[in-house]
Structures are given as structure tokens and as C-alpha cells.
Amino acid sequence: MSKKVGVVLSGCGVYDGTEVHEAVLTLLALDQRGAEVVMAAPDKEQAHVINHLTGEVDPHPRNVLVESARIARGTIKPLAELQADEIDALVFPGGFGGAKNLSDFAFQGAAMTVDPDVTRIVDAMRAAGKPIGFICITPTLAAKLIPGVTITLGCACDASEASSGLGATHVETEVHETVIDAANKVVSTSAYMLGPWVANVHKGIDKLVGELLEMA
Amino acid sequence: MSKKVGVVLSGCGVYDGTEVHEAVLTLLALDQRGAEVVMAAPDKEQAHVINHLTGEVDPHPRNVLVESARIARGTIKPLAELQADEIDALVFPGGFGGAKNLSDFAFQGAAMTVDPDVTRIVDAMRAAGKPIGFICITPTLAAKLIPGVTITLGCACDASEASSGLGATHVETEVHETVIDAANKVVSTSAYMLGPWVANVHKGIDKLVGELLEMA
């Protein structure tokens, strides 16, 4: 029986949504290990839209679920419909969408709030004893939602300090490494928090996916 | 000296732009082999915008270069500025963008026309004896621009029949395979023309990138 893994997206593009490379590398690592995926994203307006060429804000709104469907090739459902009992593990690729659409960490720092459907599915996975992977900036979600969790964001930086302020234990790592919190069934890796480019990021994500499936 | 490879994007999303997985897997295979990339895309309006969740046309226009920058993480230039003398090889990831923005093959079939900057860079690479890789639907560009070229689109299908009508020799392949036309320094692979999912597509693209760099 192949394992089924929920992949939570937050748009399509590093500056206002899911980091595209991280999402695809997550899907690659899952498929290479024979895991099935169920993709989901919040059905709501993005916090904002960034022109990825100029860095400017584009005033025309976009929807998180609709843009995430670009990465998913169309097969994706509202996060509100994702249930812990249909999956064996859950993973959050990174990108600013994790800190702008799944939470408001990019705007509020340690005073962050988390999207209610993210909170719901993380709580449900924990209650069911099922593992969760957090990539890039999304370990900040774990810091907020899982008391005393141990995570990595790679570097000692504003995000790691904020996470420590939320009660998390932060471990510095290199890009090819992961941190496992076995008690909480959480694994994290820094990906493009460190980068600098796709082959390095691939190493950490591939390791994370392997460890996530072992815990499932 | 690492090799420098031009990667031509056509938007961000399988139905109206670059197929996201194919682009990332191309970047992965290049980076794993130590190649530098120069990304480029036409600076023009997309043929149309497709809501990837519903399949409907979205009336609000998007720019090919600006959307491609989502895959490129911001570092990309107008295709008009890409010169054959700055790169050792060129590669076109697929997606409908190759048949809607780089050409109008999706709308015109064998009566297709090709974006002038695509024609210019392909002609310049050929004149310089430098190799070109075509992925997924983009071998139709080769069929149009390179007389008598040998390509694969994977399956015997409308696209392969149209390519044969343009004078190309089409070879049926499986998703993990490539076809090399050594005389024309062209290599092609079917990717999501066959799929069905990311690990299979990775095999063919990884092989194509290795062969492209060997020819460079």
C-alpha cells in the first residue's frame, strides 16, 4: 500500500506564494518513493500579488487555491476539505506564501496568526499521531502551533529568533540537512532560507521526504 | 569552466505557460551537472490566461516574462536580449506556453508561426553549431524551424502528425527516453506529453540535459 501525503500549497511564486522549486522537488521526492499526493491550498485571496520581475505590488488580486493549481497541474482541493484521516503525512513547501497566506508571519513576526484551516489540519495530524514536514520558512508555523517543537530554518536570523521567542528550539543547519523532532513527529529543512540554488535545495528536501515517510 | 545554458520560459503554468515541473526539473539537472543558467522569456502579453483550477479563461491579461519570473525567482531577461554567443546550449521546457506564447501551434497546428525572438535565437544557435534541447510540446518548434529535423513528442498524436507534415521525422518513445538528431545538434524528450507524473518526467529530462551538455 503506497502512502498518501498531503501537500499544502500557498500560491505559485516565491515572493507571494509557494516557492515553485521547493514544491516540485517535494513532489519529485514523494513520487520517486511511490507516495501518492493530495494537494490542497486555502481558497482565499492572496495577501498581495508581487510582480516577480520588478518586486512591485500588482494591484490585481489573485486567489491562493487558483494560483496553487498551476503547480498542481489542476488537481488540488480547498484546504478546508483536507482531512487527517485521508492522509498518512503532511508537508508544507516554503515560499513567502507560507508567511503571507498560510500565516501573517511576514507582516507580524512573532505576533503572527495562522490560517484557521492550517491550524485545524496541523492539530488533526498531531492528534492522529501522523508526521508533518516543514520546509524553508514554514517551520515558523510549527513554532506557533506546536508548543516546544524543535525545528530548523537553517540560519540564525530574524525568523529563527522569532521562532525561539514562540517557544521553539531552533537548530542551525546546512541546506542539505534536516532536523527531526521525534516526539512531535516533525521534520524540517531550510531549503531556500539558505539555498543558493536548486541542486542544494533538492538534497535537503529529498532527505526530509524520506524521513517523513519513514515516520508515517 | 562550467557550461552556460539558456533556458527559455513561456509563462508559469502548464495550460497557458511553461510546465512548472518540467522547468524545475530542467534547472535541477543543469545545476546537478554544474551548468550555469541564463533564463529568458518573451516580454509580451500571454496568448490568454487559464484558471488552472477550473480551466476557464481569465480575462485579466498577464505578461509572459513577468509570469516566467515566478519560476526563475526573479532572475530572467527578455528573450530579445538573449544572444547565442553568451551561451553554450539552449533548452526549451514544455507546457502549452510553448504552443501558445512561443508559437501559435496550439491554435494553428501545422499552419503555425513562431515568435520572432524564438526564431532568431534558434537560428543563431544553429549557425554557431551549438546544441538545443526541446521538451514536451516544444519539439514542434524544431519541426517548424529546422528543416528535416528528427524529434520525439512521445506518442503518435496530432502534434506528431503535424510535425511530420512540416517535414520532421518523428520517433515514438517512452517518457524516460530521448531522441538525438546529431547532425542538427538537437535532443528532445516527451515529458508530460506522456507523463503521467513527476518521477517519470524527471527521467527523460535528466537524460536530455546530460546529452545536451555532452553536445555543448
Side-chain angles (χ1 to χ4, degrees):
Chain A
M1 278 282 291
S2 69
K3 285 171 183 165
K4 214 163 172 178
V5 179
V7 179
V8 181
L9 302 181
S10 59
C12 178
V14 56
Y15 298 123
D16 60 14
T18 303
E19 209 297 312
V20 170
H21 302 193
E22 291 175 5
V24 173
L25 297 174
T26 301
L27 297 176
L28 174 65
L30 287 166
D31 193 28
Q32 287 178 326
R33 289 171 174 82
E36 270 183 80
V37 299
V38 183
M39 281 180 269
D43 184 6
K44 68 180 185 184
E45 198 172 297
Q46 293 185 187
H48 58 196
V49 177
I50 299 287
N51 176 318
H52 278 53
L53 190 64
T54 64
E56 288 163 7
V57 173
D58 177 339
H60 192 77
R62 297 187 186 186
N63 176 286
V64 179
L65 177 61
V66 169
E67 298 310 313
S68 298
R70 293 180 173 273
I71 294 172
R73 295 172 50 86
T75 308
I76 187 166
K77 66 180 179 180
L79 183 57
E81 295 175 13
L82 182 67
Q83 303 300 335
D85 62 9
E86 66 178 304
I87 52 178
D88 301 300
L90 185 68
V91 61
F92 292 89
F96 273 101
K100 292 179 175 178
N101 300 323
L102 303 185
S103 74
D104 56 9
F105 180 77
F107 310 111
Q108 304 296 339
M112 71 193 286
T113 57
V114 178
D115 178 275
D117 284 312
V118 172
T119 301
R120 180 193 57 78
I121 191 70
V122 167
D123 287 351
M125 292 299 285
R126 294 187 67 216
K130 294 177 177 178
I132 313 178
F134 295 94
I135 295 169
C136 187
I137 191 65
T138 71
T140 53
L141 300 173
K144 175 69 180 178
L145 296 175
I146 306 174
V149 71
T150 298
I151 56 164
T152 187
L153 291 146
C155 47
C157 52
D158 287 354
S160 64
E161 279 179 33
S163 295
S164 300
L166 288 164
T169 299
H170 181 263
V171 181
E172 280 187 57
T173 51
E174 293 186 47
V175 67
H176 62 280
E177 296 176 312
T178 61
V179 165
I180 295 176
D181 178 336
N184 283 305
K185 288 202 167 187
V186 162
V187 57
S188 52
T189 193
S190 62
Y192 274 113
M193 290 297 288
L194 294 180
W197 195 231
V198 62
N200 280 322
V201 167
H202 172 253
K203 288 178 195 166
I205 290 178
D206 188 66
K207 188 164 191 286
L208 176 141
V209 167
E211 291 164 347
L212 183 72
L213 290 172
E214 271 174 37
M215 282 195 281
Chain B
M1 279 280 292
S2 70
K3 285 170 183 165
K4 214 163 172 179
V5 178
V7 179
V8 181
L9 302 181
S10 60
C12 178
V14 54
Y15 298 124
D16 59 15
T18 303
E19 209 297 311
V20 170
H21 302 193
E22 292 175 5
V24 174
L25 297 174
T26 301
L27 297 177
L28 175 64
L30 287 167
D31 194 28
Q32 287 177 327
R33 290 171 175 82
E36 269 184 80
V37 298
V38 182
M39 282 183 268
D43 184 7
K44 67 180 187 184
E45 199 171 295
Q46 293 186 187
H48 58 197
V49 178
I50 300 287
N51 177 316
H52 279 53
L53 189 66
T54 65
E56 287 163 6
V57 173
D58 177 339
H60 191 76
R62 297 187 186 186
N63 176 286
V64 179
L65 177 61
V66 169
E67 297 311 312
S68 298
R70 293 179 173 272
I71 293 172
R73 295 173 50 86
T75 307
I76 187 166
K77 65 181 180 179
L79 184 56
E81 295 175 13
L82 182 66
Q83 303 300 333
D85 62 11
E86 67 178 304
I87 53 177
D88 300 301
L90 185 69
V91 60
F92 292 88
F96 272 101
K100 291 179 175 177
N101 300 323
L102 302 185
S103 73
D104 56 9
F105 180 77
F107 309 111
Q108 303 295 339
M112 72 193 284
T113 56
V114 178
D115 177 274
D117 283 312
V118 172
T119 301
R120 179 192 58 78
I121 192 70
V122 167
D123 287 351
M125 293 299 285
R126 292 187 67 216
K130 294 177 177 179
I132 313 177
F134 295 94
I135 295 168
C136 188
I137 192 66
T138 70
T140 53
L141 300 173
K144 176 68 180 180
L145 296 175
I146 305 174
V149 71
T150 298
I151 56 164
T152 186
L153 290 147
C155 47
C157 52
D158 287 353
S160 65
E161 279 179 33
S163 295
S164 299
L166 288 165
T169 299
H170 182 263
V171 182
E172 280 187 56
T173 51
E174 292 185 48
V175 68
H176 62 280
E177 297 176 311
T178 61
V179 164
I180 294 176
D181 178 335
N184 283 305
K185 287 202 167 186
V186 162
V187 56
S188 53
T189 192
S190 61
Y192 273 113
M193 290 295 289
L194 294 179
W197 195 231
V198 62
N200 281 322
V201 167
H202 172 254
K203 288 178 195 167
I205 290 176
D206 188 65
K207 188 167 192 286
L208 175 141
V209 166
E211 291 165 347
L212 182 72
L213 290 172
E214 272 174 37
M215 282 195 281

